[in-house]
Amino acid sequence: MTSQGSTRQPKYQRIADELRTAIQAGEYGPGDRLPGENDLMATYEVARMTARQALGVLQNEGLAEARKGAGVFVRAFRPLRRRGIQRLAHEQWGSGRSIWSADSEDRELVVDQIEVREEETNSRISDALGIPAGTQVWARSRRFVLDGKPVLVATSYLPADVVGDSAITQADTGPGGTYARLAELGHAPLHFREEIRSRMPSAGEAERLALSMGTPVIQIVRTAFAEGGRAVEVNEMTLDSASYVLEYDFDA
C-alpha cells in the first residue's frame, strides 16, 4: 500500500500545475501578467519561497518569463518550427534562399556576433571531417535572434583546402549561404547527417541565449557530405529548447 505522503506533490508543484492549466485554457494569454508572489501567498496560504518556486517552474518550462521590477508574464514568443528535412533541400539553398527562411517565415531574423577565423582543428572536429588533427579549417560562429529573442548559436567548421579564399571566409557568404558557395566550388552537399541531444547549457551559452535558470538546450551537430562521401562542413548548433519545435516530415 502506497503511503499518502509518498504520492503527495509539493505545494509549489501543485500551484505550478494550476497556473499551467490556466495558461493552456487561455485564462492567461501571451503577454499577460501572472499572479505575483504576494497573490499566490494569499490565495494558497504558502510561504514566499513556495510561491517563488511555483513561478520558477513555469519559467524553467519556457511558459513564462520574469521582467525585472514588473513581475512574471506568460511568454509571448511563438516557438520556432525547425523543419529538419525541408530546410536542407537543394531547392532551398540552390535557389539563393537561406535555409533559415524555411523556419523563420516572415518573422524578423537578425544574425549577429558573427566571427570568421582560420584555426587548427581539434580532434573532435578533425574526426568528424575525416582530416588529421591540427589541419587548418575555417570556423564561422554566429548567433540567430528571432523577434528580438536569441534562439540559437552555431559554429561551422570547413576544411581550408576546400573553401580557400572563397566568400565562405567572409562574414557575408552571399545568396544561398555556405552551401551555395560550396556548390560553386565543386563540393555541393549531397547528404546530411544530424545528431541531436539535450543537455544543460554552459554559463557562456546561457548568457548568449539569454536563458532562464534551469532551461536546457538542444545540441544539433550536422555534417554535410559532398560527392564521394567527403565531409565538407561540421556545424555545431546550440538551441534554446523552449524556443523550438523540431519537425521531421518524410515518406515511409
Side-chain angles (χ1 to χ4, degrees):
M1 181 176 178
T2 303
S3 67
Q4 182 179 11
S6 64
T7 60
R8 182 180 299 161
Q9 278 187 311
K11 287 183 179 179
Y12 76 87
Q13 189 65 63
R14 295 204 304 274
I15 298 171
D17 288 348
E18 290 190 20
L19 289 174
R20 187 189 307 104
T21 299
I23 292 171
Q24 293 170 344
E27 295 177 31
Y28 299 102
D32 285 352
R33 184 181 183 278
L34 292 173
E37 292 177 8
N38 290 337
D39 298 323
L40 296 178
M41 291 166 62
T43 301
Y44 294 95
E45 299 182 347
V46 295
R48 182 173 301 279
M49 181 56 68
T50 301
R52 186 171 299 166
Q53 286 177 304
L55 293 171
V57 169
L58 301 180
Q59 293 175 63
N60 291 341
E61 292 176 356
L63 289 176
E65 59 184 356
R67 300 177 190 172
K68 192 171 182 179
V72 177
F73 295 77
V74 178
R75 195 174 188 186
F77 183 84
R78 177 163 51 100
L80 183 65
R81 189 168 292 275
R82 183 183 189 273
R83 297 174 173 87
I85 294 177
Q86 295 91 328
R87 69 198 310 271
L88 294 174
H90 177 271
E91 64 184 27
Q92 183 73 20
W93 50 266
S95 61
R97 289 176 291 174
S98 164
I99 63 174
W100 259 82
S101 64
D103 302 336
S104 58
E105 300 171 341
D106 59 349
R107 301 168 70 178
E108 181 185 5
L109 173 67
V110 174
V111 183
D112 66 7
Q113 298 184 5
I114 300 173
E115 182 184 355
V116 184
R117 62 191 182 276
E118 190 174 12
E119 63 185 36
E120 291 186 359
T121 183
N122 57 36
S123 59
R124 184 183 77 258
I125 299 302
S126 64
D127 287 348
L129 290 173
I131 57 179
T135 301
Q136 292 295 117
V137 295
W138 279 91
R140 298 181 50 83
S141 298
R142 59 269 192 216
R143 182 178 73 162
F144 295 83
V145 181
L146 191 70
D147 294 342
K149 170 72 176 73
V151 295
L152 176 149
V153 292
T155 301
S156 294
Y157 300 91
L158 304 103
D161 67 327
V162 170
V163 301
D165 296 323
S166 72
I168 292 173
T169 66
Q170 307 300 314
D172 184 359
T173 56
T178 295
Y179 295 152
R181 303 293 79 76
L182 283 170
E184 293 168 355
L185 293 169
H187 297 280
L190 301 180
H191 178 73
F192 297 94
R193 181 179 65 224
E194 289 192 341
E195 299 175 353
I196 303 172
R197 67 188 182 100
S198 181
R199 59 174 173 80
M200 297 308 296
S202 67
E205 290 169 337
E207 181 179 0
R208 292 183 71 190
L209 289 171
L211 299 177
S212 300
M213 184 178 297
T215 302
V217 293
I218 300 168
Q219 183 176 59
I220 301 178
V221 179
R222 180 173 67 237
T223 306
F225 299 90
E227 187 175 3
R230 179 176 184 180
V232 291
E233 182 217 30
V234 174
N235 188 354
E236 296 186 328
M237 296 163 276
T238 303
L239 293 64
D240 170 11
S241 63
S243 296
Y244 274 90
V245 173
L246 305 184
E247 178 183 300
Y248 295 89
D249 183 8
F250 47 87
D251 295 330

